Amino acid sequence: MDLSKVRQSLPGNVSLVALDRSFDADFEIFPEEAHLLPVKTSPERWVEFRLGRHAAHLALDEIGCEPGPVLRGLNREPIWPPGVVGSITHDGNHVMAAVAWDSDAAGIGIDLELIGRYFPGLETEIASGNELAALTRLEGRAREEATIEIFSAKETIYKAHYPRIGRFFGFDMARVELGSDHLLGYFSDSFDAPYPVDSPMPIGRFWFDGVVLTWLVLAPG
């Protein structure tokens, strides 16, 4: 998995670490992190969780943050050390973590989605209005990929903004425009004051092995 193009598109102060299940180096996570999972957690979920936390630790180290546990909030969001913003994502085979100091980014969202998550009718669950109109003009694989891109982009928007506002919002609170080299996200309501309705949020997009990665880094200030 060559993420050089992704890293080149990120601000230089953002650290992105990617691991997959072939990663078998000896590492430990903090006991406080291990206690976040139920005792009967499946081996697959346990491996995925450990890899995600390890990726987070490596990313934090890259920005010079002291090591410490990455715990979890009420909506399962990662709780970063003071002064840090970030995001963790996984697709079953890959895990990624992206972090930055909050003086360098107001928020970060990343998301991985498998093309296999598509099913007929997913469009109407995650899209509306102009989004649906754009999707209905597509057919076959192109329509499947575009639907998954919108799904992932909205997850990315949520992950970037939720820690700022502490409020859940669904697919209908944002809309996404498809583009040839990136996506544009917009809030459909006054949800986060610095990001008014129709203020565009550029969202990166990268496909590999039937998986799409989307990312959003909010500018500081």
Side-chain angles (χ1 to χ4, degrees):
M1 174 175 40
D2 182 3
L3 296 178
S4 57
K5 291 183 178 180
V6 176
R7 291 190 171 91
Q8 289 169 9
S9 75
L10 292 170
N13 43 38
V14 175
S15 172
L16 174 68
V17 171
L19 303 173
D20 60 39
R21 286 182 177 270
S22 67
F23 183 83
D24 58 2
D26 185 26
F27 65 88
E28 297 291 336
I29 64 173
F30 290 90
E32 300 96 321
E33 295 171 324
H35 291 157
L36 294 174
L37 292 182
V39 174
K40 294 184 179 181
T41 297
S42 68
E44 293 78 11
R45 173 61 182 137
W46 176 241
V47 169
E48 183 179 75
F49 178 81
R50 289 184 70 242
L51 281 175
R53 284 312 189 263
H54 186 54
H57 299 160
L58 294 175
L60 289 168
D61 183 66
E62 285 189 0
I63 65 170
C65 182
E66 290 293 325
V70 178
L71 301 180
R72 190 163 59 192
L74 293 177
N75 282 305
R76 303 178 67 84
E77 77 280 6
I79 300 177
W80 300 100
V84 173
V85 295
S87 185
I88 302 173
T89 187
H90 53 80
D91 67 6
N93 292 314
H94 308 88
V95 298
M96 296 186 190
V99 301
W101 292 107
D102 61 9
S103 57
D104 295 321
I108 297 176
I110 59 172
D111 187 67
L112 289 166
E113 298 294 342
L114 294 160
I115 188 66
R117 291 201 66 173
Y118 176 84
F119 59 86
L122 176 61
E123 297 91 337
T124 59
E125 294 188 12
I126 58 96
S128 60
N130 291 338
E131 295 169 325
L132 274 177
L135 291 174
T136 55
R137 290 193 291 267
L138 301 174
E139 297 181 353
R141 179 78 175 198
R143 180 167 176 165
E144 295 176 11
E145 290 185 353
T147 303
I148 293 299
E149 287 178 8
I150 290 175
F151 181 99
S152 183
K154 291 191 176 185
E155 290 289 328
T156 287
I157 293 170
Y158 177 80
K159 290 180 178 182
H161 286 271
Y162 176 79
R164 293 167 46 81
I165 59 179
R167 176 183 168 191
F168 173 81
F169 56 92
F171 291 119
D172 60 333
M173 295 305 295
R175 62 183 177 87
V176 175
E177 290 183 1
L178 301 167
S180 59
D181 57 355
H182 66 277
L183 310 172
L184 289 176
Y186 301 84
F187 278 125
S188 55
D189 199 351
S190 301
F191 218 64
D192 192 349
Y195 300 89
V197 173
D198 291 334
S199 177
M201 294 175 280
I203 301 170
R205 171 195 57 209
F206 179 72
W207 280 94
F208 66 96
D209 301 331
V211 180
V212 69
L213 166 67
T214 59
W215 63 93
L216 170 61
V217 179
L218 304 179

